[in-house]
Amino acid sequence: MYILDFRACPTARAEDDVACSDSAVSFPSSAANLGPENAAKLQRASVAICALGGVVAAGVLATAGLGLSLRGLVVAGAPILVAAALAFYCGSLRPLPFVASVCHAMAVVLASGFLAGTIATAALSLGVPLVDDRLAAIDTALLGVDTITLAEAVSRNPAIAVVLGIVYFLSTSLVVPVVLLLARQRRYERVAETAFVFAVMVLICGIVSIATPAIGTFAHLGIDAAVLNSLPAGTGIYHLEQFLGFRSGTRTVIDWTELTGVITFPSFHVSFALIPVWATRDSPRLATLFAGLAVLTLVSAIPIGGHYVIDLIGGGIVTAVGIVTAGWLRRSPAEAWRSVGLAQPFDTTR
């Protein structure tokens, strides 16, 4: 993937990295980019993270003895190649920083997402024991009730179930409007930062799931058919065909066009919902909007996604790791910790 050199783009100067006057949503000038070098650094780091994900995916595939569908690679990989090519063309041959920034971010998001899905799906064939018993026990300790009870409560309110279902399944695509909005504001460093955090988050989720495979609350705890029929189609069980197929060994080829969310712990849906809130933190209106969607996603992850409560906590921790890592790349460690509301551990300067 091409690393966009903003210094070659006259429309991406530091003094231009403030709110566009014709935009409906603005960022304060104090939130302007810290410099094109940070964007380039984050982009290089994103490519490195994706490369690392590719190595891990290849290793898990080889260990599990699985293959990749050529058709799936071509169909799903084409958008990544197109985005990377456009990033190169619009960042070098014909400087268009908006297009280059967006395309680079989308290439990173797609590549890291497919690699994480490959890692998690292939790992199911390794025979690692499921951890549902432990996750359910933690939930009982945290809530005093199992999550099936929450699903049953939602099933008695069809309108709420529909809304939560829509929010849950749309949460995976929230990064797209965020990237477009940030790029429109010429916040190219923030675009690169968002893509980097996404890549770190989703690949950590995939790698962690190697050691923590779980089938989810609906299948593990059992859910009444009447309750399931009152919830949106596929709720809590949409991943079971692939999950069981690769666990049993009846499926031996991974198709990128058929990947489903087989990761239970940690919940990447939670991260998908939290990243937009953090990325738009300089715009109160946008941050409030995405915060509302994040709350709905958190609520929906249990009765719609079939997650355990501890999965949500895990997703939040993974998101914080990605944000702090990005902070270390672009600013001092103390500022990075403050960006997630924490004090720097072992800070000897205080």
Side-chain angles (χ1 to χ4, degrees), residues 108-278:
V108 169
V109 166
L110 290 173
S112 60
F114 282 125
L115 289 171
T118 300
I119 293 168
T121 303
L124 294 175
S125 297
L126 298 178
V128 178
L130 300 181
V131 298
D132 289 273
D133 284 336
R134 280 180 280 173
L135 298 178
I138 295 173
D139 269 16
T140 301
L142 290 174
L143 295 179
V145 296
D146 63 65
T147 51
I148 293 297
T149 302
L150 300 178
E152 292 172 346
V154 171
S155 72
R156 292 192 288 270
N157 298 273
I160 293 178
V162 169
V163 171
L164 292 180
I166 292 173
V167 171
Y168 184 76
F169 289 106
L170 286 181
S171 64
T172 57
S173 59
L174 288 178
V175 69
V176 177
V178 169
V179 164
L180 291 173
L181 285 167
L182 292 172
R184 175 172 170 74
Q185 298 292 332
R186 302 175 188 172
R187 302 272 293 153
Y188 304 128
E189 181 187 358
R190 184 64 59 80
V191 172
E193 191 177 38
T194 300
F196 173 81
V197 172
F198 181 97
V200 170
M201 172 277 298
V202 76
L203 285 170
I204 288 178
C205 286
I207 293 170
V208 169
S209 74
I210 296 175
T212 60
I215 199 169
T217 57
F218 285 21
H220 178 67
L221 299 176
I223 186 170
D224 188 87
V227 173
L228 191 60
N229 291 334
S230 299
L231 296 170
T235 292
I237 60 171
Y238 64 91
H239 65 299
L240 286 184
E241 182 182 355
Q242 281 201 23
F243 190 98
L244 296 175
F246 284 101
R247 284 287 294 184
S248 65
T250 58
R251 299 190 66 163
T252 58
V253 177
I254 295 176
D255 189 331
W256 276 11
T257 64
E258 298 177 357
L259 288 176
T260 58
V262 298
I263 300 174
T264 295
F265 177 87
S267 171
F268 59 82
H269 279 87
V270 170
S271 297
F272 286 160
L274 293 178
I275 288 175
V277 181
W278 164 79

Side-chain angles (χ1 to χ4, degrees), residues 43-64:
Q43 288 180 333
R44 287 193 295 269
S46 297
V47 174
I49 290 295
C50 288
L52 175 61
V55 172
V56 175
V60 177
L61 282 169
T63 303

Side-chain angles (χ1 to χ4, degrees), residues 325-341:
T325 304
W328 278 325
L329 285 175
R330 68 190 293 270
R331 59 174 78 87
S332 70
E335 291 175 312
W337 285 103
R338 283 198 297 271
S339 71
V340 291

